[in-house]
Amino acid sequence: MAEQMKVIYERPKSWANKVTHYCPGCTHGVAHRLIAELVDEMDLLDKTIGVWPVGCSVLGYDYFDFDSVEAAHGRAPAMATGIKVTNPDNFVFTYQGDGDLASIGMAEIVHAAARGWPITAIFINNGNYGMTGGQMAPTTLLGQKTTTSPLGRTPQDNGFPIRVAEMLAQLDGPAYIARVSLDSPVNIRKAKSAMRKAFNAQIRGIGFSLVECLSTCPTNWRLTPVESMERVRKEVMPYFPLGEFKVVEGVL
Amino acid sequence: MERVSIDEQRCKSCGLCISVCPVKILIISDRLNARGFRPAQCTDQDKCTSCGSCVLVCPDIAIELHREVKA
Ligand SMILES: Cc1ncc(C[n+]2csc(CCOP(=O)(O)OP(=O)(O)O)c2C)c(N)n1
Ligand code: SF4
Ligand code: SF4
Ligand code: SF4
Ligand SMILES: [Mg+2]
């Protein structure tokens, strides 16, 4: 009797089958995989346009089989808005780090959220500027040492970290805002359902959506990948609580 | 076909899959792949419960899972 094998998990079809340039254990790869799985499951391959940032994920466009464009630093929401206005039937998302979205691009994301146009932002909060060698970001925790806060971030010298999800959820424009974490199997499952809701908020034409993903940067944190996941749970989550901060009617 | 297939050339030896496997059948092997990483390997295919935890944490989509069904 021939043995038959059923598929429990296979690489997503929209994944371009390349090996990424990310450091070992970096959760950029996890966020990428969730996007590819949802594009497959929601049958979005022919409709998707990704807008990529400046940061470690600057080469993200290369890893998927859907169309992509590369934005100037922080300007992905402005570009995505223009693309969506002129191509309303396409599914348009931005993928942005915390330097890109919350430093140089803070104005763009605030106004995109306030405008409420149906685009989706996937926001990677890894607490520093990974690509350029671990400088302080708006999300860097108090006390956290980075190359530009070598003695640890202080409110006097550096101001307080910014909770982007909560801040944008105060606006009337957004349809869906959530913070998830990529630290463990259970939280990665939840991250995927939040991203599905965010994608749906756009597909159903309801409005702007953003999912903030607590992520790791093992290289600049100078921790192993496993220690980095533990740090997310012990140090990052208490300051950046997980949850849905805005869910308007019709988002599911 | 194996239950747990790890594409050794994609694996970056990060160890995340090993840290979450509930039945502890994943280890770092002593081989080197073309990029110089020691890939993860499964020591006991029969013990895999197909829980999917390793796949969920793998940032490099290096793991695929299958399970035998009665024909
Ligand atoms: C206009 C401009 N200013 C500054 C830089 C330098 N720069 C490149 S990436 C980056 C920050 C990236 O950090 P983040 O968005 O958090 O992405 P990560 O690498 O952490 O994923 C900066 C400041 C640039 N490329 N262009
Ligand atoms: S520098 Fe940090 S964010 Fe960039 S790929 Fe490496 S681990 Fe990931
Ligand atoms: S599917 Fe579950 S039991 Fe099987 S190797 Fe992966 S983590 Fe271990
Ligand atoms: S999680 Fe993926 S990349 Fe990391 S050791 Fe396991 S198989 Fe390799
Ligand atoms: Mg960052």
Side-chain angles (χ1 to χ4, degrees), chain A residues 82-97:
Chain A
I83 293 170
K84 186 71 180 179
V85 171
T86 47
N87 302 272
D89 295 332
N90 282 95
F91 172 73
V92 185
F93 76 90
T94 72
Y95 185 104
Q96 303 177 259

Side-chain angles (χ1 to χ4, degrees), chain A residues 1 26 32-33 42 46 53 70 82 86-87 115 121 126 146 156 162 164 171 176 180 208 214 222 226 246 250 252:
Chain A
M1 191 171 65
C26 170
H32 283 26
R33 195 192 65 238
M42 298 170 82
D46 296 333
E70 178 61 47
T86 47
N87 302 272
R115 191 182 292 111
N126 62 8
T146 68
Q156 297 79 11
I162 299 174
V164 170
L171 297 166
Y176 184 75
V180 300
F208 176 88
L214 298 185
R222 291 167 172 71
V226 173
K246 179 117 192 224
L252 39 104

Side-chain angles (χ1 to χ4, degrees), chain A residues 37-219:
Chain A
E37 289 176 9
L38 287 170
V39 165
D40 280 14
E41 288 165 28
M42 298 170 82
D43 202 15
L44 293 171
L45 183 56
D46 296 333
K47 290 172 69 175
T48 299
I49 302 175
V51 186
W52 295 91
V54 173
C56 278
S57 49
V58 67
L59 302 176
Y61 60 82
D62 214 19
Y63 299 138
F64 299 86
D65 270 339
F66 48 71
D67 288 339
S68 282
V69 291
E70 178 61 47
H73 206 359
R75 279 33 169 178
M79 220 169 157
T81 302
I83 293 170
K84 186 71 180 179
V85 171
T86 47
N87 302 272
D89 295 332
N90 282 95
F91 172 73
V92 185
F93 76 90
T94 72
Y95 185 104
Q96 303 177 259
D98 37 15
D100 188 87
L101 182 142
S103 287
I104 193 169
M106 187 61 114
E108 275 72 16
I109 197 66
V110 170
H111 285 289
R115 191 182 292 111
W117 204 270
I119 57 170
T120 303
I122 303 299
F123 170 41
I124 304 298
N125 174 348
N126 62 8
N128 68 28
Y129 297 177
M131 184 197 204
T132 43
Q135 292 83 0
M136 184 173 51
T139 48
T140 297
L141 295 175
L142 292 179
Q144 185 179 332
K145 289 180 181 161
T146 68
T147 50
T148 47
S149 58
L151 302 177
R153 180 176 189 157
T154 68
Q156 297 79 11
D157 289 343
N158 317 115
F160 290 91
I162 299 174
R163 295 184 183 93
V164 170
E166 288 89 330
M167 186 182 73
L168 296 180
Q170 301 307 309
L171 297 166
D172 294 325
Y176 184 75
I177 307 262
R179 182 181 296 113
V180 300
S181 169
L182 305 178
D183 68 285
S184 58
V186 59
N187 282 334
I188 293 168
R189 267 187 226 281
K190 288 184 189 160
K192 186 171 171 185
S193 11
M195 283 190 198
R196 190 189 305 275
K197 285 190 194 173
F199 282 24
N200 263 323
Q202 173 176 171
I203 292 159
R204 296 162 67 96
I206 303 171
F208 176 88
S209 53
L210 176 140
V211 179
E212 175 172 344
C213 305
L214 298 185
S215 299
T216 64
C217 177
T219 299

Side-chain angles (χ1 to χ4, degrees), chain B residues 4 20-23 25-26 48-54 65:
Chain B
V4 190
V20 298
C21 176
V23 291
I25 51 175
L26 302 176
C48 173
T49 62
S50 308
C51 72
S53 295
C54 53
L65 298 173

Side-chain angles (χ1 to χ4, degrees), chain A residues 4 6 11 20 22 33, chain B residues 12 56 61 64 67 69:
Chain A
Q4 282 185 10
K6 81 171 172 197
R11 235 159 259 123
T20 68
Y22 299 116
R33 195 192 65 238
Chain B
K12 293 180 187 157
L56 280 162
I61 323 188
E64 294 191 319
R67 195 162 185 98
V69 284

